[in-house]
Amino acid sequence: MFRRQLLVAIAVLGASGMAADAAEPPPLPVTEIAAGVFVHNGAHEEASAANEDAIANIGFIIGDDAVAVIDPGGSFAEGSALRAAIREHTERPIRYVILTHVHPDHIFGAAAFRDDHPDFIGHAKLPGALAQRGNYYLRRLQGAVGDEASGTEIVPPTVLVADRLDLDLGNRHLILRAHRPAHTDNDLTIFDQKTQTFWLADLLFVDRIPVIDGSLVGWLEQLDELTAMPADRAVPGHGPVSVPWPAGAEPERRYLAAVAQDTRAAIKGGIGIANAYRQVANSERGHWLLFDEYHPRNVTASYKELEWE
Ligand SMILES: [Zn+2]
């Protein structure tokens, strides 16, 4: 939608003889959940032309000297609209674009920030994951959203985090941590010391069913560590823009624990991988959006992981 408006704006400006690059997309709606911390609430949908893959919670944090983007969004169009939202609040340089993990709904908007020449920051395993899946994700996005994908490119990280990285935005420190396999094998979290805001990206799903694309056992272990860390609030990758912490992680933990327990029982009971999902974590069905779209593949992934225990 943003892209279409942009094209219309370019056409109008072109006809009147003005520079086409003066056209700015409408700013992405954002909520200031704590002082200087802004989040766009992703749609609880699959990627489509109508939503331009703007389905994840993404945003930015403003320091005295610089801005950090936390996930540039699902397409060039969404990244451009996020950039416009930043410019509504500050003219400070966008020095960092943090790519929380390989999933396209979070990072495919990165090219919209190229002209800012930021550090693109990712987990040490992100380049490998992008090499493996990037082109497939790009084709899938083009298939799902059509022309709305135009301008979208794979932007590899320029700064890698193997363990921890501290960023200074000017009177504001962000602590980035690289995690072991959980949601994916390349998850980063960000902690804003100033407001005690813990940005978990897709290590935390609320309302929308979690997607297991790394390690179920690893994710449950990571949750134990993460929920032991005090914070005033958390930002989930999908769900509300802000939830209390650690209480906000309890539904996810309950779902993942149920999948682990019931999948182990299915394996023990000799139930095949194709049918296991029918008996696994059915008590969770009413609690999650997109349950039927993602639950069977979560069980398949968990079965493959747990059958080697
Ligand atoms: Zn994800």
Side-chain angles (χ1 to χ4, degrees):
M1 202 191 296
F2 304 118
R3 187 73 188 166
R4 203 170 297 127
Q5 285 162 2
L6 180 62
L7 291 174
V8 170
I10 289 170
V12 169
L13 289 167
S16 62
M18 286 171 65
D21 62 7
E24 280 266 321
L28 202 63
V30 291
T31 305
E32 189 170 11
I33 60 159
V37 180
F38 295 83
V39 185
H40 169 70
N41 194 204
H44 291 176
E45 301 167 357
E46 301 271 43
S48 69
N51 63 35
E52 291 183 331
D53 203 18
I55 59 174
N57 290 340
I58 63 170
F60 54 93
I61 298 180
I62 302 174
D64 286 353
D65 301 329
V67 180
V69 171
I70 304 180
D71 281 343
S75 62
F76 180 80
E78 192 188 13
S80 303
L82 178 65
R83 195 178 180 287
I86 294 170
R87 286 295 171 245
E88 279 203 321
H89 293 278
T90 180
E91 287 302 319
R92 288 169 207 164
I94 299 166
R95 205 167 283 161
Y96 307 104
V97 174
I98 299 165
L99 311 170
T100 60
H101 64 293
V102 70
H103 287 156
D105 53 326
H106 290 259
I107 65 170
F108 266 17
F113 295 91
R114 259 206 181 114
D115 291 346
D116 296 296
H117 305 291
D119 288 340
F120 290 97
I121 302 173
H123 190 290
K125 289 193 174 158
L126 178 59
L130 275 174
Q132 212 171 37
R133 297 183 179 184
N135 286 323
Y136 161 73
Y137 283 152
L138 203 51
R139 283 197 304 277
R140 202 179 61 172
L141 181 72
Q142 285 155 353
V145 312
D147 288 347
E148 310 294 325
S150 65
T152 302
E153 293 170 48
I154 296 163
V155 177
T158 57
V159 174
L160 299 181
V161 187
D163 178 28
R164 174 183 164 146
L165 177 71
D166 292 20
L167 300 180
D168 183 1
L169 302 182
N171 195 27
R172 178 160 223 155
H173 288 265
L174 305 184
I175 301 166
L176 280 61
R177 283 200 182 80
H179 295 275
R180 294 189 298 279
H183 169 63
T184 66
D185 74 353
N186 51 90
D187 303 311
L188 285 184
T189 57
I190 299 95
F191 185 74
D192 174 46
Q193 279 186 323
K194 191 162 195 160
T195 62
Q196 300 286 301
T197 299
F198 201 5
W199 200 305
L200 282 108
D202 279 4
L203 283 175
L204 179 61
F205 281 70
V206 178
D207 299 337
R208 180 186 169 122
I209 186 169
V211 174
I212 303 166
D213 193 21
S215 165
L216 171 62
V217 174
W219 201 344
L220 283 162
E221 286 170 3
Q222 291 292 301
L223 272 180
D224 285 342
E225 285 181 26
L226 292 165
T227 52
M229 296 167 67
D232 283 356
R233 67 189 66 73
V235 181
H238 299 272
V241 291
S242 173
V243 294
W245 188 254
E250 275 320 302
E252 175 178 276
R253 192 208 297 271
R254 189 195 63 224
Y255 172 76
L256 295 176
V259 170
Q261 181 182 320
D262 292 358
T263 303
R264 286 183 175 119
I267 292 167
K268 210 173 167 190
I271 294 156
I273 189 167
N275 290 312
Y277 76 91
R278 296 180 206 281
Q279 318 199 5
V280 171
N282 271 322
S283 56
E284 292 290 321
R285 168 166 274 112
H287 295 292
W288 300 99
L289 299 166
L290 299 172
F291 185 89
D292 290 325
E293 283 81 353
Y294 288 95
H295 180 65
R297 71 178 87 165
N298 279 341
V299 175
T300 300
S302 303
Y303 195 109
K304 285 181 186 164
E305 179 183 344
L306 298 174
E307 68 182 330
W308 300 101
E309 281 185 337

